[in-house]
């Protein structure tokens, strides 16, 4: 199996900020965020900077110089690394990076790989006329076949999937609201979540339309922030932590639908999720939680269908009938997800990954899934032309109790 | 839509020239692979299905149905469209096969629905430009 000699040993996550200096919001540069994650992880496992021989990061949405990964390595002072990895797949970047870092260890290229992911969607020092946080695509189908028709970012692009799912299957606003409300409840139990107030269905139904049918409470809010994780060889892991976490199975699908009429209600997890469960030798019903990439409630709902928890089109009924709370039938996004933690730019997918690791380490605090031993983490990202997302990653994580020897 | 705030960069992808010229002339052209007969949109340098570079261009009727749509109420990325709010961004499924992203005009935003029949229009603010819009048409 591709990752059997690897363990995730530690994680770190920063506070989230809206980066408004006038309001006194906390501000850190990208480099400081990376250093903060490195510092917290190294201190926690009592390693020195020079014990790291591999480093991974995600190409941020914030504008960076052409050869930024080595620049960051130089700024942080990691010397003579054997491996440097970067991913650039939108929200899928974090899980994609995890897999690639794990492959570096599995393949014997590096022993101990530190990954830090940071982004500044709101950069008060950014020099642009437009004020966009991120450089707009200057070429390709995004520039020439979406922008001239006023496509307004992911809010309007994924709205196409929501609308189609409603039209084709009768999925309702209230059913999608259940996802947003449950995740917000989880966030009230998560000190690292940006939002800390409960919402109810009245709040959800009355929040303003952003791009129909998406309302404000359907849309993630961009925040500045950072995440980090440390991987090492499985035989070195127990020297560092009591509870190493294992990648028991994986399934990936990048660009799942090459066809004249792709189904916008279907994700790459139909194939990738099945692969992950098979490789982990676990049935969907047997895992203890799901940390599902959640830029919008419809994306969570489609993943529930495509991972096999219900038939395609029945996701709405499923979420009505299934308690998604951390102490319920099927815990989903137990930390609040990005919908309630905030979306820290291209570090977004790490929100799900870190919460999965945290739960397996029994560090979920007031939202701990009782006796969690295994869980699924997904990363999805990039938006296609008249499609939903482009890259799909799913991994099954276990702790030693849940690990199949 | 009352204006065309952003136009495609037509010179950037030479293999797509027949598509853009078609829009300026008032016709939607779609790539059809000479090797495998499949059609694709947006234009690509080869067939996304079989990798053949032998593509022909099909001239479409302009007719199709709304596969999905959204009505933006706020500008987030394309600030140039602020004065056009609200408007409709739709995925239109052309009768000839592939889907195309465009705007629905000629009706109020509330009148648009999934499965609505539409037809291309090349008059108005988009006339002579490398853009196409769609309007509702009566079902025959």
């Amino acid at each position: 199996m591709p990752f059997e000699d690897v363990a995730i040993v530690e994680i770190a996550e920063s506070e989230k900020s809206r980066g408004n200096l006038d309001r006194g919001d906390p501000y850190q540069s990208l480099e400081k965020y990376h250093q903060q994650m490195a510092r917290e992880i190294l201190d926690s496992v009592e390693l020195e900077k020079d014990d790291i021989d591999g480093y991974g990061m995600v190409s941020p949405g914030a504008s960076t110089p052409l050869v930024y990964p080595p620049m960051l390595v130089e700024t942080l002072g990691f010397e003579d690394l054997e491996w440097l990895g970067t991913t650039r797949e939108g929200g899928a970047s974090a899980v994609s990076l995890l897999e690639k870092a794990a492959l570096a260890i599995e393949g014997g290229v590096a022993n101990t790989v530190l990954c830090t992911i940071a982004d500044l969607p709101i950069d008060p020092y950014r020099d642009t006329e437009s004020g966009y946080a991120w450089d707009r695509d200057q070429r390709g189908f995004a520039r020439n076949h979406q922008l001239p028709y006023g496509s307004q970012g992911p809010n309007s692009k994924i709205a196409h999937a929501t609308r189609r799912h409603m039209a084709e299957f009768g999925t309702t606003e209230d059913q999608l609201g259940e996802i947003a409300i449950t995740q917000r409840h989880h966030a009230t139990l998560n000190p690292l979540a940006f939002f800390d107030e409960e919402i109810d269905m009245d709040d959800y139904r009355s929040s303003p339309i952003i791009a129909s049918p998406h309302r404000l409470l359907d849309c993630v809010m961009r925040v500045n922030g950072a995440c980090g994780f440390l991987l090492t060889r499985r035989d070195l892991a127990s020297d560092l932590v009591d509870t190493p976490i294992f990648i028991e199975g994986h399934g990936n699908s990048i660009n799942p639908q090459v066809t004249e009429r792709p189904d916008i209600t279907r994700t790459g997890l139909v194939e990738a999720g099945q692969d992950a469960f098979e490789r982990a030798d676990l049935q969907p019903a047997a895992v203890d939680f799901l940390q599902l990439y959640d830029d919008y409630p419809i994306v969570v709902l489609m993943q529930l269908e495509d991972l096999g928890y219900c038939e395609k089109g029945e996701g709405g009924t499923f979420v009505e009938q299934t308690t998604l709370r951390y102490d319920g039938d099927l815990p989903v996004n137990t930390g609040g997800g990005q919908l309630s933690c905030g979306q820290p730019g291209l570090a977004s997918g790490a929100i799900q990954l870190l919460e999965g690791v945290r739960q397996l380490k029994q560090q979920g605090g007031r939202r701990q899934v009782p006796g969690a031993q295994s869980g699924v983490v997904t990363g999805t990202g990039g938006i296609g032309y008249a499609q939903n997302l482009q890259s799909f990653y799913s991994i099954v994580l276990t702790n030693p109790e849940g690990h199949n020897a | 839509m009352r204006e065309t705030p952003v136009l495609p960069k037509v010179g950037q992808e030479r293999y797509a020239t027949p598509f853009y010229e078609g829009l300026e002339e008032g016709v939607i052209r779609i790539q059809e692979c000479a090797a495998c007969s499949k059609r694709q949109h947006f234009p690509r340098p080869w067939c996304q299905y079989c990798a053949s570079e032998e593509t022909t261009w099909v001239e479409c009727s302009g007719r199709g149905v709304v596969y999905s749509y959204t009505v933006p109420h706020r500008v987030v990325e394309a600030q140039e469209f602020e004065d056009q709010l609200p408007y409709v961004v739709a995925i239109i499924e052309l009768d000839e096969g592939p889907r195309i992203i465009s705007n629905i005009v000629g009706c109020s935003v509330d009148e648009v629905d999934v499965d609505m029949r539409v037809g291309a229009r090349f008059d108005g603010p988009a006339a002579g430009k490398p853009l196409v819009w769609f309007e509702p048409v009566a079902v025959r």
Side-chain angles (χ1 to χ4, degrees), chain A residues 130-132 134 136 138-141 143-157 159-164 167-168 208-214 216 222 255 257-265 384-387, chain B residues 1 6-9 12-13 19-20 23 37-39 41-43 48-49 66-81 87 89-91 93-103 114-115 130-133:
Chain A
S130 66
Y132 293 145
W134 299 343
R136 189 167 59 193
Q138 293 301 309
R139 63 176 315 102
F141 67 77
R143 173 64 184 78
N144 291 331
H145 299 281
Q146 290 172 318
L147 180 62
Y149 299 101
S151 189
Q152 291 292 348
N155 295 340
S156 65
K157 293 176 175 135
H160 285 131
T162 306
R163 173 79 65 196
R164 183 72 196 183
E168 210 173 311
I209 296 278
I210 302 299
S212 72
H214 285 170
L216 186 64
R222 290 174 175 162
N255 198 29
Q257 298 187 62
V258 175
T259 178
E260 255 181 43
R261 292 184 171 176
D263 183 349
I264 205 171
T265 69
Y385 178 80
Q387 301 213 37
Chain B
M1 298 285 261
V6 176
L7 296 180
K9 291 187 173 180
Q12 206 178 45
E13 329 278 1
F19 170 72
Y20 293 121
L23 297 186
S37 304
K38 290 186 179 170
R39 297 170 179 171
H41 182 73
F42 52 92
Q48 67 165 331
Y49 310 102
V66 174
Y67 177 70
S68 193
Y69 73 97
T70 181
V71 181
H73 281 62
R74 292 192 190 179
V75 292
V76 177
E77 283 186 6
Q79 320 290 30
E80 301 91 331
F81 287 82
Y87 55 88
V89 184
I91 299 173
E93 186 169 276
L94 296 171
D95 288 350
E96 290 79 3
R99 300 199 185 111
I100 185 167
I101 289 172
S102 182
N103 300 120
V114 172
D115 290 336
L131 291 176
V132 60
W133 290 341

Side-chain angles (χ1 to χ4, degrees), chain A residues 321-373:
Chain A
Q321 297 174 346
T322 310
T323 318
L324 305 177
R325 285 198 171 189
Y326 71 94
D327 56 354
D329 306 317
L330 181 63
V332 172
N333 287 334
T334 56
Q338 299 166 51
L339 281 168
S340 283
C341 292
Q343 184 185 67
L346 274 292
S348 56
I351 293 291
Q352 268 77 24
L353 176 59
L354 299 191
E355 180 66 8
V357 171
R358 205 176 272 128
Q359 286 285 345
L360 293 171
K361 284 173 170 275
Q362 314 306 311
Q363 291 170 357
R366 292 191 292 149
R367 65 200 191 272
Q368 178 64 48
V369 172
Q373 296 180 0

Side-chain angles (χ1 to χ4, degrees), chain A residues 106-120:
Chain A
E106 192 73 26
V109 175
N111 295 306
T112 304
V113 178
L114 173 67
C115 294
T116 65
I117 310 174
D119 207 345
L120 287 177

